[in-house]
């Protein structure tokens, strides 16, 4: 399964859940779902992390290094992270995870190198 498909699943869960006013978000484009609606779907930081980690394991055939795991968990719970590890230790995978986490929360994300 692609990361895009996993995000669609998360956004679909949010769209199906009642919002704070009790209304259903049927007919709303997934890109228009706001953070309040996603929170209403009770998608937890653990859920988002676990879905990304499962994608890394199953689709990429990789196991997260401890530093990657710690950084991604911190990002999923809304913490700021500085990842200072040697070249070739997967900082770009953490950046991809940060994008995934932000998009799953309905936020925009930009990466520059």
């Amino acid at each position: 399964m692609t990361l895009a498909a996993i995000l669609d699943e998360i956004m679909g869960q949010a769209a199906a859940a009642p919002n704070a006013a009790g209304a259903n978000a049927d007919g709303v484009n997934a890109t228009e779902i706001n953070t309040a609606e996603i929170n209403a779907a009770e998608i937890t930081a653990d859920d988002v992390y676990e879905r990304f980690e499962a994608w890394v394991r199953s689709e990429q055939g990789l196991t997260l290094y401890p530093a990657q795991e710690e950084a991604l968990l911190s990002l999923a719970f809304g913490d700021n992270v500085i990842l200072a590890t040697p070249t070739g230790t997967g900082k770009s995978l953490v950046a991809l995870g940060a994008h995934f986490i932000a998009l799953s929360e309905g936020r925009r994300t930009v990466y520059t190198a």
Side-chain angles (χ1 to χ4, degrees):
M1 180 179 279
T2 66
L3 278 180
I6 295 169
L7 280 172
D8 286 345
E9 260 183 31
I10 290 170
M11 300 308 269
Q13 288 174 2
N19 62 22
N24 194 298
D26 286 340
V28 175
N29 184 314
T31 59
E32 297 173 351
I33 296 171
N34 66 32
T35 303
E37 290 169 323
I38 291 172
N39 289 341
E42 297 182 21
I43 298 168
T44 67
D46 283 329
D47 294 333
V48 173
Y49 168 80
E50 287 172 9
R51 289 182 186 197
F52 182 77
E53 190 274 332
W55 174 81
V56 169
R57 188 176 5 89
S58 66
E59 298 295 324
Q60 303 302 304
L62 301 171
T63 302
L64 294 174
Y65 294 129
Q68 291 171 310
E69 187 174 305
E70 184 178 349
L72 286 165
L73 280 168
S74 294
L75 290 166
F77 282 96
D79 296 331
N80 295 316
V81 171
I82 296 174
L83 186 59
T85 60
T87 300
T89 58
K91 291 182 290 293
S92 294
L93 185 59
V94 173
L96 181 61
H99 291 297
F100 179 79
I101 292 163
L103 292 172
S104 73
E105 295 170 349
R107 295 184 289 144
R108 291 188 180 167
T109 179
V110 177
Y111 179 76
T112 61

